[in-house]
Amino acid sequence: MKVPSQMSFDVEAIRAQFPILRTLVHGRVPLHYLDNAATAQVPEAVLDAVRAHDELRRANVKRGVHALAEAATDAYANARTKVAQYVNAREDREVIFTSGTTGAINLVAHAFGATLKAGDEIVLSGLEHHSNLVPWQLLRERTGVKLRFLGVTEEGRIDTGDLEELVSERCKLISVTHVSNVTGAITDVAAVVRAARTVGARVLLDGAQRASHGPVDVQALGVDFYALSSHKMFGPSGVGALWGRAEILAALPPFLGGGEMIRTVTLEKSTWADIPARFEAGTPPITQAVGMGAAVDWLAQVDAAAAAAHTGHLADRILHGLRAIGGGNRRARVIGPQTMERRFPVIAFAVDGAHPHDICQILDSHGVALRGGHHCAQPFHESRGLAGTTRASLALYNNAADVDAFLSGLDDALSKLT
Amino acid sequence: MKVPSQMSFDVEAIRAQFPILRTLVHGRVPLHYLDNAATAQVPEAVLDAVRAHDELRRANVKRGVHALAEAATDAYANARTKVAQYVNAREDREVIFTSGTTGAINLVAHAFGATLKAGDEIVLSGLEHHSNLVPWQLLRERTGVKLRFLGVTEEGRIDTGDLEELVSERCKLISVTHVSNVTGAITDVAAVVRAARTVGARVLLDGAQRASHGPVDVQALGVDFYALSSHKMFGPSGVGALWGRAEILAALPPFLGGGEMIRTVTLEKSTWADIPARFEAGTPPITQAVGMGAAVDWLAQVDAAAAAAHTGHLADRILHGLRAIGGGNRRARVIGPQTMERRFPVIAFAVDGAHPHDICQILDSHGVALRGGHHCAQPFHESRGLAGTTRASLALYNNAADVDAFLSGLDDALSKLT
Amino acid sequence: MDTLYKTDVLRLAAQATGAGKLADATKSITVDNPLCGDRVTFDVKMGADGKIAAVGHTVKGCVLCQASASVIGANAKGENAASLGAIRESLKAMLKQGAPAPAGAWATLATFTPVSGHKSRHECLLLPFEAVIQASSD
Amino acid sequence: MDTLYKTDVLRLAAQATGAGKLADATKSITVDNPLCGDRVTFDVKMGADGKIAAVGHTVKGCVLCQASASVIGANAKGENAASLGAIRESLKAMLKQGAPAPAGAWATLATFTPVSGHKSRHECLLLPFEAVIQASSD
Ligand SMILES: Cc1ncc(COP(=O)(O)O)c(C=O)c1O
Ligand SMILES: Cc1ncc(COP(=O)(O)O)c(C=O)c1O
């Protein structure tokens, strides 16, 4: 990602749309929210869409012929269209609403996993979020598939140099993160897809961290499955999506059983509905999907390039600021790429002698919201000999004041702690 | 349920709290919402709680030490406490937030199901919603358990007379609905629990239809698992809960894998968190759980007995009205108990020669929202030789005008259709 | 009051043109709509010219489904799978994009114009076409 | 500015009273907090009287965890698992219900009063107690 020196991005106009950014932390200091990789905040447009749905169109979807049911069904279908367009799906039915990224990956681990057998291989990486690791470990227990792990480069990127060695004819799936929630690194997806294609394996991308940074093009990426969470892309919690190639999804058995995912049910035997219904058992998160659709609408009207330039510029200041922290055991190490080349503004760092939770706690008293710990990426942290890191992650509504508060707060923390 | 002749229940004061009840159907006729068994509407207090959470306390829960994360974690924990109190759980950790009833039952089918082996038996009934049937059929495919089915009485109740014959030493679980979403009948849970106890089987109750009618006492019921959906009890969609006895849940393996459900993760092996976290993989439906807590608060301040008397009285009028529909092939048959004894105000009926969807469509033009079809209970409908029924289901905000509109609309429909 | 249940639609359903089984059917096809439980069977007898010589239908469904089958019963003779496919597409376009009803023999389909505003009922009209098209294909 | 990081707390952490391994430990226990990755090891040497004769601790954790271990290092001698359990309960009550800190030797725990407002950090203080209690039980 290039960072132009000039920016034409009205961050204050964006901020004005997020009510929570006007709250005071501990009733005292302005909020500097730098925990966006955990959950992003919600703009008024989404809050309004959520409330309007429940006030005007609330009903269960499908099968209902009354006016509210038709309106709710339409709204739910429109939300699917919006998400489909956001990821550039070929067809709406390629989008399945789930409880989130974790729900989406578990769906694939069960439905696609059911087509695998002992000895088949799945290639992951040492940089994965637990949500893209544990479901596969559980699948291994169920079926005896073998898991193999791409390494992580010194810089904190998935080492695609390992692909040739690890991806064999036995490999049925490569499942890796699109963007790391620790190092911010963007995975070389083209290399992954190339390796998968040579052996006919499928590719799943964990898009949880990517989806908040503007539209995704699953066709251009050339992958087979893509998982995302609404709450990380300015939408409601409680919903996310799995995109999958129609022909692949259509060939998979169902995962969860319940209402609406069937064609016919008898006590002896049931048959399954077509996609996407087959994978949406029970009443879906209707209002939340509508809210996710509103979030996607909201994101679509943002100039993604300008937003990236804006957050990239702020992230650059953080990277510089961390490097400038000075001397002795007060040195801060950025765990991830040291520049904003091919990475997103998720910045984890470690300071010898200062525990991440102490840093976060002191920064909190400055109004700065950070996250400390292993960020659900324990294997990566262990591999670096770290119990945890402190992470600052930016969204397009962050501004220079947020970076200033972070840097001066960190100075205060380190003067206390080291 | 007894229906006293005098009522002291201010339904108009209740109605005033539900904004959607003021909308006009097709911009023309007042809404008479009698599709509550599909989804109930949401009071202002819940809408406000949902919005306030996202405007003031939005953050990811657990592990975060900044002020918003602590506030969100607190709010989420409080919601768990509220739901725990609503079902009279012994401990908060017995409540697991899920995507809904379907999610809850699938959780048990996987986690408890993983402890079963070929030949073990699960007893269901012929009256179940697909959500309490298909997950067990899928489990049967995975493990070879055997499913056995309690019959349904002529009146439309689960036939507990079948228990003795069907519940053997091989039975590990009886999973039945607490209240039927077709016939409204309340299951004789005491008989089910007695039968289960004699052979050491567990009991799961599908409480989707029961939970909107006031607090539940899982301890008094003596069951082991209880499933419910927020959207049917005046709360947000996208969330529900599984209650389970702590000692049983604590002994089960996890179902979904992901963030927050682990104790330690390495690439080779993971260990699991204690309950409830073990069963809540990934970012939970935080805002929705908070909304469900608000719905439970709202329900708790309603006089449940007065509300039951009120809806019972209205349901009685519907039952009488359906019986009065007159002569020839215009006869309406109530599919379920003919009086309000031991049943809830969910009333399905069939009219020879009139298709449920035609009835619903014509009633919709009168502003009356009904549901037609098999209501995700295809086996029960098939057993009665019916492709579908028309269903009117009441909530505490329904009033006499709703019943009048239903009865006169039905008259219009039948004059057109038969 | 409800424009979907105008007397025209009710009359078409009541007429049930072509209802009944065909003893000498070339092919018989039953299709289901899992969403509402509707079930339509079409028996089709093909002529030597590759065109439909006769149809018979059995409908377990709503008035819209019955009326649609009745329109097919009245007009299917002389059509084939391809021409019926085209009619079905016209009906779809009428329902979904507000296109005009087909001209000629099938103009009766205009009776269903008010259904366009009720998406959940489109399938009720299309299901009989699905059955007759399958039954007239080889 | 942040009352959690008053000089008192920082000083306790820096003092690290009782830090280090015990060569002749009766028992050594390591406990983890999976939520933040903190890890505390307590080595305990029990006297013939069934009371703690000496402790040594190794803390990989935050300042609060270090400070708590330091308080234990300074006061554990002469206690046993039961009495330490009671101290832990007093600390819990102080954090969760605003009860006063214990009197006597353990009064230093009052330093942690400001932590009560930060639920996510309670465990940081309690973890060392968990370790020393387990290490002094038989
Ligand atoms: C008896 C019963 N069980 C289960 C369900 C499924 O609930 P949900 O769709 O909220 O998961 C429903 C509602 O549709 C129901 O009525
Ligand atoms: C890279 C990555 N994958 C998966 C997840 C899981 O997302 P969710 O918790 O929304 O299911 C996250 C977020 O926590 C993430 O950052």
Side-chain angles (χ1 to χ4, degrees), chain A residues 37-38 99-105 127-132 177-182 206-210 228-232 239 375-376 391, chain B residues 60 259-260 281-284:
Chain A
S99 56
T101 300
T102 303
I105 296 175
L127 196 54
E128 300 309 314
H129 188 281
H130 295 164
S131 289
N132 191 29
T177 196
H178 193 177
V179 173
S180 165
N181 71 317
V182 181
D206 170 353
Q209 290 300 333
R210 170 61 187 78
L228 56 164
S229 291
S230 161
H231 73 95
K232 293 195 202 275
V239 69
H375 314 296
C376 296
R391 182 181 73 185
Chain B
N60 214 322
E260 318 303 337
T283 303

Coordinates of all heavy atoms in Angstrom, one line a residue, chain A residues 37-38 99-105 127-132 177-182 206-210 228-232 239 375-376 391, chain B residues 60 259-260 281-284, ligand 2:
Chain A
A37 N -9.1 -4.0 15.2 CA -8.9 -5.4 14.7 C -9.8 -6.4 15.6 O -10.1 -7.4 15.1 CB -7.5 -5.8 14.8
A38 N -10.1 -6.0 16.8 CA -11.0 -6.8 17.6 C -12.4 -6.6 17.2 O -13.2 -7.6 17.0 CB -10.8 -6.5 19.1
S99 N -22.8 -16.9 11.7 CA -22.6 -16.1 12.9 C -21.4 -15.3 12.9 O -21.2 -14.4 13.8 CB -22.6 -17.1 14.1 OG -21.6 -18.0 14.0
G100 N -20.5 -15.5 11.9 CA -19.3 -14.7 11.9 C -18.2 -15.5 11.1 O -18.5 -16.6 10.5
T101 N -17.0 -15.0 11.2 CA -15.9 -15.7 10.5 C -15.7 -17.1 11.1 O -15.5 -18.1 10.4 CB -14.6 -14.9 10.7 OG1 -14.8 -13.6 10.1 CG2 -13.4 -15.6 10.0
T102 N -15.7 -17.2 12.4 CA -15.6 -18.4 13.1 C -16.6 -19.4 12.7 O -16.4 -20.6 12.4 CB -15.6 -18.2 14.6 OG1 -14.6 -17.3 15.0 CG2 -15.4 -19.6 15.4
G103 N -17.9 -19.0 12.6 CA -19.0 -19.8 12.1 C -18.8 -20.3 10.7 O -19.0 -21.4 10.3
A104 N -18.3 -19.3 9.9 CA -18.0 -19.7 8.5 C -17.0 -20.7 8.3 O -17.1 -21.7 7.5 CB -17.7 -18.4 7.7
I105 N -15.9 -20.6 9.0 CA -14.8 -21.6 8.9 C -15.2 -22.9 9.5 O -14.9 -24.0 8.9 CB -13.5 -21.0 9.6 CG1 -13.0 -19.8 8.8 CG2 -12.4 -22.1 9.5 CD1 -11.8 -19.1 9.5
L127 N 0.7 -18.6 11.3 CA 0.3 -17.2 11.6 C -1.2 -17.1 11.9 O -1.8 -16.1 12.1 CB 0.7 -16.3 10.5 CG 0.7 -14.8 10.6 CD1 1.6 -14.4 11.8 CD2 1.2 -14.1 9.4
E128 N -1.9 -18.3 11.8 CA -3.4 -18.3 11.8 C -4.0 -17.9 13.2 O -3.4 -18.2 14.2 CB -4.0 -19.6 11.4 CG -3.5 -20.0 10.0 CD -3.8 -19.0 9.0 OE1 -4.9 -18.4 9.0 OE2 -2.9 -18.7 8.2
H129 N -5.1 -17.2 13.1 CA -6.0 -17.0 14.3 C -6.5 -18.4 14.7 O -6.8 -19.2 13.8 CB -7.2 -16.1 13.8 CG -8.1 -15.6 14.9 ND1 -9.0 -16.4 15.4 CD2 -8.1 -14.4 15.5 CE1 -9.7 -15.7 16.4 NE2 -9.1 -14.5 16.4
H130 N -6.8 -18.5 16.0 CA -7.3 -19.8 16.5 C -8.5 -20.3 15.7 O -8.8 -21.5 15.5 CB -7.6 -19.7 17.9 CG -6.4 -19.5 18.8 ND1 -6.5 -19.1 20.1 CD2 -5.1 -19.6 18.5 CE1 -5.3 -19.0 20.6 NE2 -4.4 -19.3 19.7
S131 N -9.3 -19.3 15.2 CA -10.5 -19.7 14.5 C -10.2 -20.3 13.1 O -11.1 -21.0 12.6 CB -11.4 -18.4 14.2 OG -11.9 -18.0 15.4
N132 N -9.0 -20.2 12.6 CA -8.6 -20.9 11.4 C -7.6 -22.0 11.7 O -6.8 -22.4 10.9 CB -8.1 -19.9 10.4 CG -7.9 -20.6 9.0 OD1 -8.7 -21.5 8.7 ND2 -7.0 -20.1 8.2
T177 N -4.9 -17.1 6.4 CA -5.5 -15.7 6.6 C -5.2 -14.8 5.4 O -4.1 -14.9 4.8 CB -5.0 -15.1 7.9 OG1 -5.9 -14.1 8.3 CG2 -3.6 -14.7 7.8
H178 N -6.1 -13.9 5.1 CA -5.8 -13.0 4.0 C -4.9 -11.9 4.6 O -4.0 -11.5 3.9 CB -7.1 -12.4 3.5 CG -7.0 -11.6 2.2 ND1 -8.1 -11.1 1.5 CD2 -5.9 -11.3 1.4 CE1 -7.7 -10.5 0.4 NE2 -6.4 -10.6 0.3
V179 N -5.2 -11.4 5.8 CA -4.4 -10.4 6.4 C -4.3 -10.9 7.9 O -5.2 -11.2 8.5 CB -5.1 -9.0 6.4 CG1 -4.4 -8.0 7.3 CG2 -5.3 -8.5 5.0
S180 N -3.0 -10.8 8.4 CA -2.8 -11.3 9.8 C -3.4 -10.3 10.8 O -3.2 -9.1 10.6 CB -1.3 -11.4 10.0 OG -1.1 -11.5 11.4
N181 N -4.0 -10.8 11.8 CA -4.5 -9.9 12.9 C -3.5 -9.6 13.9 O -3.7 -8.9 14.8 CB -5.7 -10.6 13.6 CG -5.3 -11.8 14.4 OD1 -4.5 -12.6 14.0 ND2 -5.9 -11.9 15.6
V182 N -2.2 -10.0 13.7 CA -1.1 -9.7 14.6 C -0.1 -8.8 13.8 O 0.2 -7.7 14.3 CB -0.4 -10.9 15.1 CG1 0.7 -10.5 16.1 CG2 -1.4 -11.9 15.8
D206 N -9.3 -16.5 5.2 CA -9.9 -15.9 6.4 C -9.8 -14.4 6.2 O -8.7 -13.8 6.3 CB -9.1 -16.4 7.6 CG -9.5 -15.7 8.9 OD1 -10.3 -14.7 8.8 OD2 -9.0 -16.1 9.9
G207 N -10.9 -13.8 5.8 CA -10.9 -12.4 5.5 C -11.3 -11.5 6.6 O -11.6 -10.3 6.4
A208 N -11.3 -12.0 7.8 CA -11.8 -11.2 9.0 C -11.2 -9.8 9.0 O -11.8 -8.8 9.2 CB -11.6 -12.0 10.3
Q209 N -9.8 -9.8 8.8 CA -9.1 -8.5 9.0 C -9.1 -7.7 7.7 O -8.8 -6.5 7.7 CB -7.7 -8.8 9.4 CG -7.6 -9.3 10.9 CD -8.1 -8.3 11.9 OE1 -8.2 -7.1 11.6 NE2 -8.6 -8.8 13.0
R210 N -9.4 -8.4 6.6 CA -9.3 -7.7 5.3 C -10.6 -6.9 5.0 O -10.5 -5.8 4.4 CB -9.0 -8.7 4.2 CG -9.2 -8.2 2.8 CD -8.2 -7.1 2.4 NE -8.4 -6.6 1.1 CZ -9.4 -5.7 0.8 NH1 -10.3 -5.3 1.8 NH2 -9.6 -5.3 -0.4
L228 N -15.9 -13.9 6.5 CA -15.8 -12.6 7.0 C -16.8 -12.4 8.2 O -17.8 -13.1 8.3 CB -15.9 -11.5 6.0 CG -17.1 -11.4 5.0 CD1 -17.1 -10.0 4.4 CD2 -17.0 -12.5 4.0
S229 N -16.6 -11.3 9.0 CA -17.4 -11.0 10.1 C -17.9 -9.6 10.0 O -17.1 -8.6 9.8 CB -16.5 -11.0 11.4 OG -16.2 -12.3 11.8
S230 N -19.2 -9.4 10.2 CA -19.8 -8.1 10.1 C -19.2 -7.1 11.2 O -19.0 -5.9 10.9 CB -21.3 -8.2 10.3 OG -21.9 -7.0 10.7
H231 N -19.0 -7.6 12.4 CA -18.6 -6.7 13.5 C -17.3 -6.1 13.3 O -16.9 -5.1 14.0 CB -18.7 -7.4 14.9 CG -17.6 -8.4 15.1 ND1 -16.4 -8.0 15.8 CD2 -17.5 -9.7 14.7 CE1 -15.7 -9.1 15.8 NE2 -16.3 -10.1 15.2
K232 N -16.4 -6.6 12.4 CA -15.1 -6.0 12.2 C -15.2 -5.1 11.0 O -14.2 -4.4 10.6 CB -14.1 -7.1 11.9 CG -13.8 -8.0 13.1 CD -12.6 -8.8 12.9 CE -12.6 -10.0 13.8 NZ -12.0 -9.8 15.1
V239 N -23.3 -11.7 13.2 CA -23.5 -12.1 11.8 C -22.2 -12.0 11.1 O -21.3 -11.3 11.4 CB -24.6 -11.3 11.1 CG1 -24.2 -9.9 10.9 CG2 -25.0 -11.9 9.8
H375 N -3.8 -12.4 21.1 CA -4.7 -12.1 20.0 C -5.2 -13.3 19.3 O -5.3 -13.4 18.1 CB -4.0 -11.1 19.0 CG -3.3 -10.0 19.7 ND1 -4.0 -9.0 20.4 CD2 -2.0 -9.7 19.8 CE1 -3.1 -8.2 20.9 NE2 -1.9 -8.5 20.6
C376 N -5.4 -14.4 20.1 CA -5.9 -15.7 19.5 C -4.9 -16.2 18.4 O -5.4 -16.8 17.5 CB -7.3 -15.5 18.9 SG -8.5 -15.1 20.2
R391 N -1.2 -4.4 20.8 CA -1.6 -4.2 19.4 C -2.4 -2.9 19.3 O -3.4 -2.7 20.0 CB -2.5 -5.4 18.9 CG -2.9 -5.3 17.5 CD -3.7 -6.5 17.1 NE -5.1 -6.4 17.6 CZ -6.0 -7.4 17.5 NH1 -5.7 -8.5 16.9 NH2 -7.2 -7.2 18.1
Chain B
N60 N -15.1 -5.8 21.7 CA -15.1 -7.2 21.8 C -15.0 -7.6 23.3 O -14.4 -6.8 24.1 CB -14.0 -7.8 21.0 CG -14.4 -9.2 20.4 OD1 -15.1 -9.9 21.0 ND2 -14.0 -9.4 19.1
G259 N -11.7 -18.7 18.5 CA -11.2 -17.9 19.6 C -12.0 -18.1 20.9 O -13.2 -18.4 20.8
E260 N -11.4 -17.8 22.0 CA -12.0 -17.8 23.3 C -12.5 -19.1 23.9 O -12.9 -19.1 25.0 CB -13.2 -16.8 23.3 CG -12.9 -15.5 22.6 CD -11.7 -14.7 23.1 OE1 -11.3 -14.9 24.2 OE2 -11.2 -13.9 22.3
A281 N -17.4 -20.3 20.7 CA -16.2 -20.1 19.8 C -16.4 -18.8 19.0 O -17.5 -18.5 18.5 CB -16.0 -21.2 18.8
G282 N -15.4 -18.0 18.9 CA -15.5 -16.8 18.1 C -16.1 -15.6 18.9 O -16.6 -15.8 20.0
T283 N -16.2 -14.5 18.2 CA -16.9 -13.4 18.8 C -18.3 -13.7 19.0 O -19.0 -14.0 18.0 CB -16.7 -12.1 17.9 OG1 -15.3 -11.9 17.8 CG2 -17.4 -10.9 18.6
P284 N -18.9 -13.7 20.1 CA -20.3 -14.0 20.3 C -21.2 -12.9 19.8 O -20.8 -11.8 19.5 CB -20.4 -14.2 21.8 CG -19.3 -13.4 22.4 CD -18.2 -13.3 21.4
Ligands
LIG2 C1 -7.7 -13.2 11.3 C2 -9.0 -13.5 12.1 N1 -9.6 -14.6 11.9 C3 -10.8 -14.9 12.5 C4 -11.3 -14.1 13.5 C5 -12.5 -14.5 14.2 O1 -13.6 -13.7 13.9 P1 -15.0 -13.8 14.7 O2 -14.5 -13.8 16.2 O3 -15.7 -12.6 14.3 O4 -15.6 -15.1 14.3 C6 -10.6 -12.9 13.8 C7 -11.1 -12.0 14.8 O5 -11.1 -12.2 16.0 C8 -9.4 -12.6 13.1 O6 -8.8 -11.5 13.3

